[in-house]
Amino acid sequence: MKTALVLEGGAMRGMYTAGVLDVFLEEGRTFDGVIGVSAGALFGVNFLSKQKGRVIRYNKKYNKDSNYMGIKPLLRTGNIVDTDYAYVKVPRELDPFDDEAYQRSKVPFYAVITNMKTGKPEYKLIDSVFDRMETLRASGSMPFVSKPVKLDGNLYLDGAITDSIPYEYMLQKGYDHVVVVLTKAAGYVKKAMPPFLTKLYYKKKYPEFERTVRERHIMYNGQMERLKELEKQGKATIIQPSEEISISRIEKDPKKLQALYDLGIKDAIAYCRK
């Protein structure tokens, strides 16, 4: 049976995913394929490079730097996360990502991105993190606070806008079972975004993208319902926060980041001990 690992996004809620994946590394858990969206992609690659602890380490260290993330880089560059700092300096110099180990894993890893012209998701194989860093950046570039990322002549933003929990893609590729790591506790229901905001930012230039942003809650809540059915059928396993921890999408407090990471560890240990 081929099993795929599916990683939801959620910005700094991804610290939960980081905790889960570090337990999987400790336990020697492996998967036949992995797909991540937004923070799930950005943090998930460390699972294949086997760099336990890297995600929580660099986020606790650099998130509090006002030049790394927040209003300062947003006003200076149009991106709430300084792209050179986050996607070049940290992974290549300050806390190096092991791209050679990642490639040696031979496990296919896919990242989801959203095409701003079509308003549709696209799924890209990340065969090398350094070679595909712009694709990963596109997957994690949140609307409203990020500039679109240009790839092959097209503009892209956050893959979570169009496929927040990309388990269907992996099932369609022939995987028999999906282990889905969510970043929101049970019972979460996504609410509609104020339409004036989406229209103000995107309606004129990117009407299809604007529609998908505006209707994202419908897509997300539908995905959750289908996922629950798959779990009942034995085709999906869901791992999600066992309690609610309040955390900002651009959380800087190391204690809050650690608390969510620790919850991921606790829940993953409980899953592995079943």
Side-chain angles (χ1 to χ4, degrees), residues 35-38 41 109-126 135-136 138-140 149-164 166 169 173 209 212:
I35 190 167
V37 58
S38 196
F109 188 107
Y110 301 91
V112 189
I113 56 179
T114 297
N115 186 308
M116 295 191 69
K117 181 178 179 180
T118 66
K120 301 291 185 183
E122 295 181 15
Y123 306 87
K124 303 295 184 181
L125 178 65
I126 308 299
T135 301
L136 290 167
S139 185
V149 178
K150 193 171 186 178
L151 299 168
D152 300 322
N154 296 310
L155 296 176
Y156 296 89
L157 278 178
D158 194 344
I161 294 300
T162 47
D163 196 350
S164 297
Y169 179 77
K173 286 190 72 68
F209 180 79
T212 58

Side-chain angles (χ1 to χ4, degrees), residues 87-101:
Y87 296 98
V88 179
K89 195 170 183 180
V90 169
R92 289 186 180 272
E93 300 173 21
L94 300 178
D95 197 326
F97 177 80
D98 192 343
D99 197 39
E100 292 184 1

Side-chain angles (χ1 to χ4, degrees), residues 150-247:
K150 193 171 186 178
L151 299 168
D152 300 322
N154 296 310
L155 296 176
Y156 296 89
L157 278 178
D158 194 344
I161 294 300
T162 47
D163 196 350
S164 297
I165 317 169
Y167 57 87
E168 290 284 5
Y169 179 77
M170 298 305 270
L171 291 173
Q172 290 169 7
K173 286 190 72 68
Y175 292 90
D176 306 292
H177 189 88
V178 288
V179 174
V180 183
V181 181
L182 303 176
T183 56
K184 304 174 187 70
Y188 173 82
V189 177
K190 185 171 284 296
K191 297 178 181 179
M193 186 172 291
F196 79 88
L197 190 62
T198 64
K199 292 178 180 179
L200 176 65
Y201 273 78
Y202 299 116
K203 182 68 174 178
K204 186 175 181 180
K205 293 184 69 174
Y206 309 106
E208 293 301 321
F209 180 79
E210 186 274 333
R211 179 183 57 78
T212 58
V213 175
R214 179 165 32 89
E215 297 179 354
R216 185 190 172 197
H217 65 290
I218 300 172
M219 176 270 297
Y220 184 89
N221 295 331
Q223 283 188 324
M224 281 303 306
E225 290 303 314
R226 292 192 295 277
L227 181 58
K228 291 174 186 175
E229 286 300 315
L230 287 171
E231 185 180 40
K232 291 177 183 178
Q233 297 168 18
K235 296 180 180 179
T237 299
I238 300 173
I239 301 173
Q240 64 188 136
S242 57
E243 60 186 85
E244 193 64 62
I245 291 182
S246 178
I247 192 168

Side-chain angles (χ1 to χ4, degrees), residues 11-64:
M12 287 305 115
R13 287 195 299 268
M15 289 305 105
Y16 178 82
T17 302
V20 171
L21 296 183
D22 281 352
V23 170
F24 284 176
L25 285 174
E26 281 282 326
E27 294 285 324
R29 297 281 173 131
T30 60
F31 299 88
D32 300 295
V34 185
I35 190 167
V37 58
S38 196
L42 294 172
F43 299 158
V45 293
N46 294 273
F47 177 63
L48 295 188
S49 66
K50 293 182 168 52
Q51 289 178 277
K52 180 178 177 290
R54 180 175 180 269
V55 173
I56 185 65
R57 181 175 65 240
Y58 78 74
N59 277 282
K60 285 175 65 176
K61 186 171 184 178
Y62 299 114
N63 283 15
K64 56 191 175 184

Side-chain angles (χ1 to χ4, degrees), residues 63-106:
N63 283 15
K64 56 191 175 184
D65 185 342
S66 62
N67 292 305
Y68 179 76
M69 182 174 66
I71 192 66
K72 188 179 286 187
L74 181 62
L75 293 175
R76 187 178 68 248
T77 69
N79 292 297
I80 200 161
V81 175
D82 185 287
T83 57
D84 185 65
Y85 198 151
Y87 296 98
V88 179
K89 195 170 183 180
V90 169
R92 289 186 180 272
E93 300 173 21
L94 300 178
D95 197 326
F97 177 80
D98 192 343
D99 197 39
E100 292 184 1
Y102 173 88
Q103 292 180 58
R104 284 198 302 270
S105 76
K106 302 295 184 183

